Structures are given as structure tokens and as C-alpha cells.
């Protein structure tokens, strides 16, 4: 009875959950044992827009030919079925040592979807999927510092890991109370620009699109994350790994894949993200990564043994994001003490070499690795 009461409080206030154990999560890694991945079709890209607690995002990551990095994102949030908010975020990482990152984040008004939920609209903002399901057009005039006009065209197939990409949370597998899903377009052609107050910035290059759904409170689903987006002339490598809080057995869930033009070489759940060297961030006590190693292992799409790795120094971080920076101080203090959360995202973009081995054939190629290490709660 006490655990039930704690769960009700957690549902409303976001406090820590009871210890349910690892059997209370049905990770997508189990699906992937039989079905490593499934190609994404147009219907898989519909907005879910849950009427209960959720965070749903469509995020477009850019590695521009100019060397700039960028991001555009719509976040749809529902708090306990009581209030829905939407936000448009845009970011440019200049990395020239002189120009500060451009960051804009704006609430959206009059949000709506088309009848099939392929397209998202708000005042001065739209995300539209082409009728053939191969191109997204992202437009935003919500912030005069960053007027966005981009297109992402899929050049390799999209995928979800497992049969449907979902991990489910709950003590009764037939009636889960939470979920997590990521759908990827790992390799896209990017065209367009972001108009800033300093002028128009050409963002043409390569990109990654992710449609993510956290069908529960984010800090209940994961205590920490590692995210990798590697883009080079021949390869795109994606890795999304999270560790659940102790309430779900500190379970590691890792999804990812490696693609080239027109082809998924590998996708599945047997990947890893390791922080091989780290230092203590004196401002918030998180162990900031200094050097990392990312691996992808399994069978290639044509059934051969597959291994890929990218490892090395991360170099100086390009940003550190205080996720709760815009939350009023007293709310921040309550959440930190009650739920044990102090979320920070550490972002890096080193030049690294990926090694890809399919069967007996091994190739290497240098590219740009954009990575995020996110710490939310607990010990690391």
C-alpha cells in the first residue's frame, strides 16, 4: 500500500519511484534478439500526441558542409494530462572560438496537427512531411534571431530497433504505464538556411532526424543518456543509450545503427557507449567525459559479422546545457531535492575516425562526431 501511495505521488509531483526491479521494464533490446531492426515507413512517423504525461520530439541535427553544426526541434509536452505545451528550439554551433553559439527557444501558440498527424503547425512554425514520406520541411519565424527554413531528405532508409522501437515500463507487461521509442533517419541530405541577425547561414550538408517519444516523466525513464551522431562522406553512425533509474534496475538500453547512402549496414541493440576518461565538473559534481569509446556490434543487413567503433578524446566541450535553467529557482530546488534531479547536457564535436568491419573487409574514415552526455539523477 505504501508503494502504491508513493507511485501516486510520483505521478503527480515527479518524485522518485519505488524500486520495482529490472522485471518492470520490457526493453526494446529483447525485441531486437529476434528482430534487430525494422525499416521505418511513413505511418511510423505520425505524431502520437499522447493525452497523458509525455515528452515527444522531432529533432533535426545538421553537420553542414561549412563545418558548422546545427539543430532544429519541436518539443510536445503533456503534464499529467492537465496541460500541453509546445516549444521550438534552434541552435548553431559556430566552433570558431570567437562566435558564441546561437540558441533560441520559444513557446508555440495555436498548435495543431493535420488530420493524419504527419504534419505539425503553430503560429509562425511548421514541420511538414512530403506526400512520399521522404522529405521534411522545417520552417520557423518564431524568433527573429533565427529564422529557420530547412529541408531534410532521407538518403538511407529509416529504422527503429526491434519490431516497433518501443521499450515498455510497468510491473504488468500487458498494461505498461510508460514507454520509450526512437525512430531514426540516420543519413539525410540537408538544404536551406537559418537567417540570423548577422546574416543568412547556409546549413546545407548531412543530417540526422529522430522522432522520439517518452511516454512518462523523463527522469523516471532514464537517469543518464549518451547520444552519438557521426557523419562522414561515406558513413552515418547513430547511437542512443540510456540507463534507467534504480527503480527499473539501472537497466541499460542501447539502440543504434550504421548507414551509408541508400543502405542500412547494421542496426540493432548490441552497442555500447563508454566514458573511458572523465573529470569532475566542479560546478555541479557530474563526471564530465574527456575521452569516450562507442561501438556497434552484431550482424550486418546481409548477415555478415559486423563491428564498428569510434573512440578518442572529445576535446573541449562546445556547450553545457542546464536543462532547468529557465525553471524558477524555488521550483528547481524542490525538484532537485524531491526527485534527485539536476539535469545537465554536455555537448562535444570532435573529428574522429570510424572503423567499420563487415565480414573480413575493414574500412576507416574520418568524420564529425556530435555527442551528448546527459546526467539527470543518481550516482554515476
Amino acid at each position: 500500500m505504501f508503494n502504491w501511495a508513493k507511485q501516486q505521488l510520483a505521478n503527480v509531483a515527479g518524485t522518485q519511484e519505488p524500486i520495482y526491479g529490472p522485471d518492470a521494464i520490457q526493453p526494446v533490446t529483447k525485441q531486437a534478439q529476434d528482430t534487430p531492426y525494422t525499416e521505418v515507413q511513413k505511418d511510423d512517423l505520425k505524431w502520437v500526441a499522447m493525452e497523458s504525461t509525455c515528452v515527444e520530439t522531432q529533432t533535426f541535427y545538421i553537420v553542414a558542409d561549412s563545418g558548422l553544426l546545427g539543430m532544429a526541434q519541436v518539443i510536445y509536452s503533456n503534464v499529467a494530462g492537465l496541460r500541453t505545451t509546445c516549444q521550438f528550439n534552434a541552435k548553431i554551433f559556430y566552433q570558431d572560438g570567437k562566435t558564441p553559439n546561437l540558441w533560441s527557444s520559444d513557446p508555440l501558440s495555436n498548435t495543431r496537427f493535420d488530420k493524419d498527424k504527419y504534419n505539425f503547425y503553430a503560429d509562425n512554425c511548421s514541420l511538414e512531411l512530403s506526400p512520399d514520406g521522404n522529405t521534411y520541411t522545417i520552417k520557423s519565424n518564431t524568433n527573429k534571431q533565427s529564422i529557420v527554413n530547412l529541408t531534410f531528405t532521407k538518403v538511407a532508409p529509416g529504422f527503429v530497433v526491434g519490431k516497433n522501437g518501443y521499450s515498455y515500463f510497468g510491473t504488468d507487461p500487458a498494461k505498461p504505464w510508460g514507454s520509450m521509442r526512437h525512430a531514426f533517419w540516420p543519413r539525410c541530405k540537408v538544404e536551406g538556411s537559418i537567417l540570423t541577425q548577422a546574416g543568412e547561414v547556409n546549413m546545407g550538408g548531412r543530417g540526422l532526424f529522430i522522432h522520439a517519444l517518452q511516454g512518462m516523466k523523463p527522469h523516471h525513464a532514464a537517469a543518464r543518456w549518451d547520444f552519438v551522431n557521426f557523419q562522414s562522406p561515406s558513413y552515418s553512425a547513430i547511437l542512443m543509450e540510456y540507463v534507467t533509474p534504480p527503480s527499473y534496475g539501472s537497466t541499460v538500453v542501447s539502440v543504434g545503427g550504421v548507414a551509408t547512402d541508400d543502405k542500412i549496414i547494421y542496426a540493432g541493440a548490441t552497442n555500447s557507449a563508454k566514458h573511458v576518461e572523465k573529470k569532475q565538473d566542479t560546478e555541479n559534481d557530474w563526471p564530465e567525459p574527456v575521452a569516450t569509446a562507442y561501438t556497434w556490434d552484431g550482424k550486418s543487413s546481409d548477415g555478415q559479422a559486423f563491428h564498428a567503433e569510434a573512440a578518442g578524446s572529445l576535446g573541449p566541450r562546445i556547450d553545457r546545457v542546464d536543462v532547468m535553467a529557465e525553471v524558477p529557482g524555488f521550483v528547481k530546488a524542490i525538484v532537485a531535492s524531491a526527485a534527485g534531479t539536476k539535469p545537465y547536457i554536455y555537448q562535444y564535436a570532435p573529428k574522429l575516425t570510424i572503423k567499420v568491419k563487415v565480414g573480413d573487409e575493414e574500412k576507416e574514415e574520418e568524420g564529425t562526431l556530435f555527442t551528448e552526455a546527459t546526467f539527470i539523477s543518481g550516482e554515476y
Side-chain angles (χ1 to χ4, degrees):
M1 184 66 179
F2 180 61
N3 275 354
W4 176 87
K6 286 173 68 178
Q7 174 59 42
Q8 303 317 302
L9 179 61
N11 287 343
V12 175
T15 56
Q16 289 178 327
E17 294 186 287
I19 301 297
Y20 303 113
D23 291 340
I25 178 174
Q26 294 78 52
V28 71
T29 49
K30 291 184 178 178
Q31 293 184 29
Q33 292 174 4
D34 298 322
T35 305
Y37 73 95
T38 302
E39 287 194 13
V40 165
Q41 306 301 319
K42 183 180 179 182
D43 280 355
D44 299 316
L45 300 172
K46 292 183 177 183
W47 286 86
V48 180
M50 294 175 62
E51 296 182 359
S52 55
T53 296
C54 71
V55 178
E56 185 172 6
T57 58
Q58 288 196 345
T59 309
F60 302 83
Y61 296 94
I62 305 159
V63 178
D65 292 337
S66 65
L68 297 177
L69 300 179
M71 181 268 285
Q73 178 186 60
V74 166
I75 302 177
Y76 174 100
S77 302
N78 189 324
V79 180
L82 302 174
R83 184 184 179 203
T84 297
T85 61
C86 294
Q87 196 92 356
F88 183 83
N89 298 328
K91 193 165 189 174
I92 300 175
F93 300 91
Y94 287 98
Q95 300 190 88
D96 59 7
K98 299 177 293 184
T99 311
N101 296 333
L102 182 149
W103 166 248
S104 58
S105 181
D106 299 279
L108 298 175
S109 302
N110 297 319
T111 57
R112 58 204 180 276
F113 302 95
D114 70 327
K115 64 181 179 65
D116 294 319
K117 289 191 174 179
Y118 293 124
N119 304 326
F120 172 91
Y121 300 98
D123 289 352
N124 301 311
C125 182
S126 64
L127 296 185
E128 293 186 317
L129 181 62
S130 61
D132 64 6
N134 292 328
T135 300
Y136 272 101
T137 302
I138 307 104
K139 294 185 178 182
S140 173
N141 193 17
T142 59
N143 192 310
K144 299 305 179 185
Q145 294 186 72
S146 56
I147 298 174
V148 176
N149 186 359
L150 299 168
T151 61
F152 271 61
T153 301
K154 178 177 61 174
V155 297
F159 70 89
V160 294
V161 167
K163 297 182 179 70
N164 62 8
Y166 275 96
S167 293
Y168 297 102
F169 296 73
T171 51
D172 182 354
K175 297 178 180 179
W177 59 54
S179 62
M180 182 87 80
R181 173 184 180 261
H182 294 87
F184 304 95
W185 282 4
R187 191 168 176 86
C188 301
K189 177 183 179 182
V190 181
E191 299 171 290
S193 66
I194 298 178
L195 180 61
T196 74
Q197 291 183 324
E200 187 172 20
V201 180
N202 184 352
M203 301 303 291
R206 283 181 288 272
L208 160 70
F209 163 65
I210 303 177
H211 185 169
L213 174 65
Q214 297 182 54
M216 59 196 299
K217 289 183 175 65
H219 61 280
H220 287 176
R224 60 185 187 268
W225 290 84
D226 279 283
F227 164 59
V228 171
N229 171 24
F230 176 90
Q231 300 288 339
S232 72
S234 303
Y235 297 106
S236 296
I238 313 306
L239 194 154
M240 186 76 77
E241 180 174 298
Y242 64 92
V243 182
T244 70
S247 48
Y248 299 99
S250 298
T251 301
V252 179
V253 181
S254 184
V255 296
V258 179
T260 190
D261 289 343
D262 304 323
K263 180 182 178 182
I264 297 171
I265 306 174
Y266 155 84
T270 45
N271 323 295
S272 71
K274 302 295 183 186
H275 297 185
V276 297
E277 185 181 345
K278 46 201 171 186
K279 65 182 180 181
Q280 206 70 13
D281 184 342
T282 56
E283 292 188 30
N284 56 41
D285 293 331
W286 287 124
E288 179 181 357
V290 174
T292 51
Y294 308 107
T295 59
W296 296 259
D297 282 293
K299 292 288 187 181
S300 67
S301 56
D302 59 4
Q304 299 185 75
F306 177 87
H307 174 79
E309 61 183 63
S313 170
L314 293 176
R317 68 178 182 235
I318 56 175
D319 207 354
R320 181 186 60 191
V321 181
D322 180 354
V323 177
M324 297 179 68
E326 298 182 14
V327 176
F330 73 95
V331 175
K332 192 176 190 176
I334 290 171
V335 171
S337 61
T341 59
K342 49 174 184 177
Y344 277 82
I345 304 172
Y346 295 80
Q347 298 175 318
Y348 310 84
K351 293 288 186 183
L352 285 182
T353 296
I354 193 168
K355 299 177 181 179
V356 178
K357 187 175 183 181
V358 182
D360 295 326
E361 184 179 12
E362 185 172 357
K363 295 181 179 180
E364 297 184 5
E365 188 168 270
E366 186 183 70
T368 298
L369 185 143
F370 174 74
T371 184
E372 296 180 332
T374 301
F375 303 95
I376 301 173
S377 61
E379 299 295 327
Y380 186 77

